[in-house]
Amino acid sequence: MPSQTQHTADSDGSVNFATVLAEEKDHLNKSPSNAAALCISGGGIRSATFALGVLQGLAGNGTLQRFDYLSTVSGGGYIGSWLSAWIRRAGRDTVMSELAPSTHPEPVEVSHLRRYSNYLIPKLGLLSTDSWSVLSIFVRNLMLNWLVLVPALFAVLLLPRLFVSLIAKSGFHAGQLFPVTAAAIGIAVILIVAALVNERKSARGQQFLFVLAILLLLAAAILAALELWQPERVCAWEAHFQVLHRVFPWVGAVAVIIFVVYVLIWRFVEWLARILRFVNAFLLGSALLGLEVWFLVRDVIPFVARDARLFVCVAAPLCVVALTLSGYLITGLTHFDLSDQHREWLSSLGGWLLMYALVWSVSSALSLFGPVLFYAESWKQIGLGSWASSIATYGSAVGTIVAALATALGGYGASATAGRREAGVVPRAVKIGLPAFVILLALLLTRLADPVLIFAGAVAVNPNHITPRCIITDTEFEPLLKIIAGLVLSSLVLSRFISVNKFSLHGMYRNRLIRAYLGASNRDRKPNPVTGFDPADNILMSDLRGQIPLHVVNMTLNLVGGKELAWQERKAESFAATAYRSGTERPGGPGKLGYRNSADYGGKTDGPISLGTAKAISGAAANPNMGYSSSPLLTFLMTLFNARLGWWLGNPGYGGEKPKWLNPSWNRSGPAFGILYLFAEAFGLTTDETRYINLSDGGHFENLALYEMIRRECGFIVVIDGGHDPQLTLEDLGNAIRKCRIDFGANIAFDNASLNDLVGRRQRWAVANIRYASGHAGRVVYLKPLMSTPDVRDEPPDVRTYHDQHPDFPHEPTSDQFFSESQFESYRRLGLHTILSVPPDILSELG
């Protein structure tokens, strides 16, 4: 078996994979190594319809009922859930007999799929209520999400103005903040030393000290900037530095004396020599910091202090740079006592400080200087009329919309392919549109800030002489602070009532998938006359217990903000749901997560996880966090425009139970305060250590649904690959083989002759042998939709005719989820033709 861990469950119901495997063995009444699995890949309705034909062919030759597992991902989950729901309601024997292609008239379960081939908008047209319903849902959810997101983003853009107001209106005296600044730096140094000394005792403790040290050093930089603001303070500081100037020679002399003593004793009194090294290093580091601040006071501060806006953009970051350079000197002088890990730790500290300094400078520049573009006075100063400000205003608005559309259209192709990067990289439109959109959006929000502050009474200016500079510099500190606090509070309160899950696009997508695929086998449907939905169409995952094949729904747990260095390309791990368990475990043994009972998982408020929910999550191709297809700016844009088909579910491992004073999250349907997770989604901070985890399309990790079957060491596997692959590069196959070898030590070796014939379009199948790390052997039969070469040309005439009219067939874009009757039938018939072309002896191993 893949894991030798004991089959034990925690008292709270979390179990490891070994227990999951033992439960499935009891369910199947055989070892998974002797089991046969049918895997249906992602690819939207294209994959689902092609697989329908394959299923009919397998039912017709009597082999479908021999499969023990049904593993699906993304679009494969559409048809897989359809099959599981039909078996649940009618029984396996009935399904096997009625599903055969020779059945006529075809069962209503199949004809229902034809009627709903446009499952998102069944009735197309401008006057279609389906079209307007989808539009209404999008607008409603977008508005509600903006009520949560926009106030928080607006508050962030106002922070630089708060700093300007603080330094302009403050009443600090020269030297008053110096002791606090020195204390903050001193405490940060103590925390850094404590973290380095105890690096192996507590990883979490070290991380806490690391973050606290960063916050203290950033606070020290801000306090130093406040201290250096007013010109009279600068004069006072110059007087202090005149004294310090006379002290510097003595500092150098003391450093030399300490160094001489160190040289004399380092071979005899090691502990004292180490202390002297550190004292000398901190002494020289402090001297360097003093010289840097002296340079700032003498040459930089007088220049930038002429404009409060420029000062805010530059002063604090320069203080951060000064602190970082001093740290570099200390690190260099104490390298004898620092390991490689220590130096890496300190380098990370410096890197974070420099990153925050850069982010502060850029965001402050946009917030404080951006409004200049929208005022006529600014353009008149360079010889242009007021028309230039109007162009800037309307041009920014139009540019924001154009950049958003270009990014959305360019990024949709990447996100709608179930995790596959069809173009190899994010399209050029995304690369250009994303930065433009973010910058223009920030400019528009800063323009909106001026009338908001005037209306709120935070600034009093002459309406006939309004300039961006006077609005910023004349803003009162306390009213502005109240506005920022109010914005943050409103976001928090609204996020308590506006669910991060229910008001994404997931609900719209899930309901329509349920109607089209799970409703097909509900012969007693009583749809609502207005919406056309019937709650009875859906069934719980746990309702599938005792049913064969055991359905495994594959999803992706996004780790865009994860810490596993080897997974920086993946940015994700597999997450699976069955009738018995839902969860995941890191490969190679027990991981940080685990598996929960599907009858309880996610069910505190809205009921436990259902087949419809699992299927919709598995097919959530368009999502801000998309495993290895994730792009930092694209995640922000998709979150802002609520292009979120994924779902936040409780962490099935220890993360779902922390902190201890809160109720566990694993049995809840979503977070209470969604804004925290909304921002985690927007900025790519998803991990598997938080109380809730972000799940999306299984194709964002592995698009063939093969990974979980290899984890179970299945003996015979049939893979239906309906992914978008017009050039037959077999990218999804390569991805699956690579991850299975790395994670499970399973070697999947294809027969070269059959694989070459497939790539050469002379046949639609290939076979491979599996050698598991445990020594077990297995077999893979791989099926691929393709049009054969002219010398073979064995497709049915109607399929060939459709291809002649639509050259992209059978690899039309995954973004096309609106199938016509001829399109649906062509894919179904090609699937049937594909399985019938496989020699009977290839499938004879099903037993």
Side-chain angles (χ1 to χ4, degrees):
M1 292 296 99
S3 175
Q4 301 299 321
T5 310
Q6 296 296 320
H7 306 341
T8 57
D10 298 334
S11 58
D12 57 11
S14 176
V15 302
N16 54 38
F17 181 69
T19 303
V20 172
L21 207 60
E23 291 175 346
E24 293 179 1
K25 180 179 179 180
D26 294 339
H27 169 81
L28 300 174
N29 198 27
K30 66 171 66 172
S31 170
S33 61
N34 297 322
L38 178 63
C39 302
I40 309 179
S41 80
I45 194 172
R46 177 190 60 242
S47 176
T49 311
F50 175 78
L52 172 62
V54 176
L55 291 175
Q56 289 182 303
L58 290 171
N61 62 26
T63 55
L64 181 59
Q65 61 186 353
R66 300 174 186 173
F67 286 100
D68 304 290
Y69 283 103
L70 173 63
S71 181
T72 64
V73 60
S74 194
Y78 300 177
I79 200 68
S81 63
W82 168 82
L83 179 63
S84 292
W86 191 7
I87 293 175
R88 166 68 181 170
R89 288 168 173 144
R92 186 168 63 157
D93 292 340
T94 300
V95 172
M96 298 305 157
S97 63
E98 294 188 3
L99 185 56
S102 59
T103 303
H104 185 79
E106 65 183 11
V108 295
E109 287 78 7
V110 176
S111 59
H112 182 93
L113 296 183
R114 292 184 187 276
R115 289 197 300 271
Y116 284 94
S117 59
N118 287 319
Y119 66 93
L120 289 176
I121 306 176
K123 187 173 180 59
L124 297 173
L126 183 61
L127 300 180
S128 166
T129 56
D130 291 326
S131 302
W132 286 99
S133 176
V134 170
L135 177 61
S136 176
I137 291 172
F138 174 77
V139 173
R140 179 200 67 189
N141 293 351
L142 181 64
M143 182 194 74
L144 292 176
N145 277 271
W146 279 6
L147 288 176
V148 175
L149 272 177
V150 173
L153 294 174
F154 198 34
V156 171
L157 285 174
L158 288 178
L159 284 176
R161 296 191 178 213
L162 185 68
F163 199 174
V164 170
S165 177
L166 180 64
I167 63 174
K169 306 294 182 180
S170 62
F172 301 118
H173 301 292
Q176 186 175 354
L177 296 178
F178 175 75
V180 183
T181 306
I185 296 175
I187 295 173
V189 170
I190 294 173
L191 293 176
I192 293 171
V193 173
L196 294 176
V197 171
N198 297 281
E199 65 171 340
R200 295 185 179 180
K201 293 183 179 179
S202 173
R204 288 193 168 276
Q206 187 186 30
Q207 184 181 27
F208 173 76
L209 295 177
F210 178 87
V211 174
L212 194 56
I214 287 177
L215 294 177
L216 282 171
L217 291 174
L218 291 175
I222 293 175
L223 290 171
L226 289 173
E227 179 68 38
L228 298 174
W229 161 238
Q230 296 290 1
E232 59 271 16
R233 295 180 198 164
V234 172
C235 294
W237 270 97
E238 287 180 345
H240 288 300
F241 275 108
Q242 291 298 327
V243 177
L244 192 60
H245 181 67
R246 293 191 294 271
V247 174
F248 279 148
W250 293 102
V251 173
V254 172
V256 170
I257 293 172
I258 292 176
F259 179 74
V260 171
V261 174
Y262 159 73
V263 171
L264 293 175
I265 70 170
W266 73 277
R267 287 181 175 273
F268 307 102
V269 190
E270 184 177 349
W271 64 270
L272 182 58
R274 179 176 296 185
I275 292 176
L276 291 177
R277 278 201 300 267
F278 275 105
V279 170
N280 206 26
F282 283 109
L283 185 65
L284 293 177
S286 300
L288 175 61
L289 180 60
L291 287 172
E292 290 169 338
V293 176
W294 186 15
F295 170 74
L296 292 178
V297 169
R298 189 189 66 180
D299 298 319
V300 179
I301 297 300
F303 174 76
V304 299
R306 299 173 184 175
D307 189 328
R309 299 171 300 172
L310 181 61
F311 181 86
V312 168
C313 295
V314 172
L318 285 177
C319 293
V320 169
V321 171
L323 286 169
T324 304
L325 293 179
S326 301
Y328 290 164
L329 177 62
I330 294 173
T331 302
L333 294 175
T334 59
H335 75 277
F336 296 105
D337 302 295
L338 299 176
S339 65
D340 287 340
Q341 294 299 321
H342 288 151
R343 288 192 292 274
E344 288 290 342
W345 196 96
L346 292 171
S347 297
S348 298
L349 181 67
W352 279 92
L353 290 172
L354 293 176
M355 182 190 70
Y356 282 128
L358 178 63
V359 170
W360 175 264
S361 294
V362 173
S363 58
S364 296
L366 287 173
S367 176
L368 300 178
F369 290 97
V372 170
L373 299 173
F374 304 105
Y375 286 85
E377 289 80 0
S378 304
W379 295 100
K380 290 178 180 178
Q381 292 177 0
I382 59 175
L384 297 178
S386 58
W387 54 268
S389 62
S390 300
I391 291 178
T393 302
Y394 296 112
S396 298
V398 173
T400 303
I401 296 173
V402 171
L405 290 176
T407 306
L409 293 175
Y412 184 74
S415 63
T417 57
R420 299 185 72 257
R421 288 173 278 190
E422 294 178 4
V425 293
V426 178
R428 184 174 300 178
V430 177
K431 291 185 176 181
I432 299 174
L434 274 172
F437 169 78
V438 173
I439 293 173
L440 290 172
L441 179 64
L443 289 175
L444 288 177
L445 287 177
T446 59
R447 178 64 182 92
L448 179 63
D450 292 351
V452 169
L453 293 177
I454 295 174
F455 177 79
V459 55
V461 295
N462 187 338
N464 297 321
H465 298 86
I466 297 178
T467 64
R469 180 170 182 174
C470 73
I471 293 177
I472 292 173
T473 56
D474 291 343
T475 302
E476 297 294 332
F477 176 76
E478 291 186 5
L480 182 56
L481 181 61
K482 291 178 181 178
I483 291 173
I484 294 176
L487 290 170
V488 174
L489 183 62
S490 67
S491 289
L492 286 173
V493 172
L494 287 172
S495 72
R496 178 64 180 87
F497 298 98
I498 300 175
S499 170
V500 68
N501 282 336
K502 294 180 181 179
F503 294 102
S504 67
L505 291 181
H506 175 94
M508 179 274 295
Y509 178 60
R510 179 190 60 197
N511 290 340
R512 283 151 181 78
L513 280 177
I514 291 173
R515 177 178 62 185
Y517 288 92
L518 301 187
S521 56
N522 183 10
R523 296 197 176 187
D524 296 324
R525 288 195 83 233
K526 296 180 176 60
N528 185 288
V530 176
T531 64
F533 299 117
D534 183 356
D537 289 343
N538 199 8
I539 58 179
L540 299 178
M541 285 298 304
S542 57
D543 288 344
L544 300 179
R545 291 182 177 181
Q547 182 171 304
I548 294 178
L550 178 63
H551 194 169
V552 179
V553 183
N554 296 269
M555 297 165 264
T556 291
L557 195 169
N558 285 294
L559 303 175
V560 180
K563 301 175 183 177
E564 179 58 59
L565 296 180
W567 289 5
Q568 292 180 86
E569 180 184 17
R570 298 185 183 188
K571 301 177 184 177
E573 60 184 296
S574 175
F575 189 98
T578 70
Y580 296 94
R581 298 287 174 178
S582 298
T584 189
E585 184 176 278
R586 288 281 180 92
K592 298 180 179 179
L593 298 178
Y595 295 83
R596 298 284 178 173
N597 192 328
S598 294
D600 300 321
Y601 185 59
K604 190 73 173 181
T605 54
D606 298 325
I609 188 169
S610 67
L611 180 60
T613 296
K615 170 185 64 173
I617 295 173
S618 177
N623 199 58
N625 290 249
M626 300 182 289
Y628 64 79
S629 294
S630 301
S631 168
L633 288 177
L634 187 59
T635 61
F636 175 78
L637 178 68
M638 295 184 73
T639 305
L640 184 65
F641 282 95
N642 202 35
R644 300 183 299 114
L645 291 176
W647 197 258
W648 287 92
L649 274 175
N651 192 321
Y654 78 94
E657 299 170 344
K658 65 176 187 179
K660 294 295 184 181
W661 48 272
L662 285 179
N663 292 324
S665 64
W666 58 267
N667 61 352
R668 296 178 178 273
S669 59
F673 288 93
I675 187 172
L676 302 177
Y677 297 93
L678 203 58
F679 270 94
E681 202 166 356
F683 294 102
L685 302 176
T686 51
T687 74
D688 58 0
E689 298 181 354
T690 51
R691 281 176 54 80
Y692 292 87
I693 53 177
N694 183 255
L695 302 176
S696 67
D697 193 310
H700 296 154
F701 176 77
E702 191 272 304
N703 201 40
L704 295 185
L706 178 63
Y707 184 87
E708 289 293 333
M709 298 300 98
I710 297 296
R711 187 200 289 264
R712 288 160 172 79
E713 297 193 353
C714 290
F716 189 84
I717 303 174
V718 174
V719 177
I720 306 172
D721 182 3
H724 184 274
D725 190 11
Q727 303 303 320
L728 295 186
T729 59
L730 309 184
E731 178 187 351
D732 285 334
L733 180 62
N735 175 57
I737 291 175
R738 184 184 311 111
K739 286 177 177 172
C740 290
R741 182 191 305 120
I742 293 172
D743 294 350
F744 308 123
N747 185 39
I748 303 175
F750 270 85
D751 173 69
N752 288 332
S754 65
L755 191 62
N756 289 337
D757 283 343
L758 183 146
V759 175
R761 302 178 187 272
R762 292 183 294 275
Q763 68 184 32
R764 297 175 176 81
W765 55 271
V767 294
N769 293 316
I770 313 172
R771 176 59 61 181
Y772 291 106
S774 63
H776 292 144
R779 186 83 159 167
V780 172
V781 177
Y782 177 74
L783 307 177
K784 190 77 174 177
L786 57 86
M787 300 299 293
S788 60
T789 56
D791 60 313
V792 177
R793 197 176 176 87
D794 60 351
E795 296 83 12
D798 58 322
V799 176
R800 173 62 63 176
T801 299
Y802 183 85
H803 168 70
D804 292 340
Q805 297 173 350
H806 305 84
D808 290 338
F809 175 86
H811 291 282
E812 293 168 297
T814 310
S815 54
D816 179 11
Q817 295 291 293
F818 305 92
F819 272 26
S820 63
E821 181 184 23
S822 59
Q823 191 176 13
F824 180 94
E825 179 59 17
S826 297
Y827 277 102
R828 186 203 67 82
R829 188 65 181 86
L830 182 62
L832 176 61
H833 179 70
T834 297
I835 191 62
L836 294 179
S837 68
V838 179
D841 61 298
I842 298 294
L843 298 176
S844 63
E845 298 179 44
L846 278 170

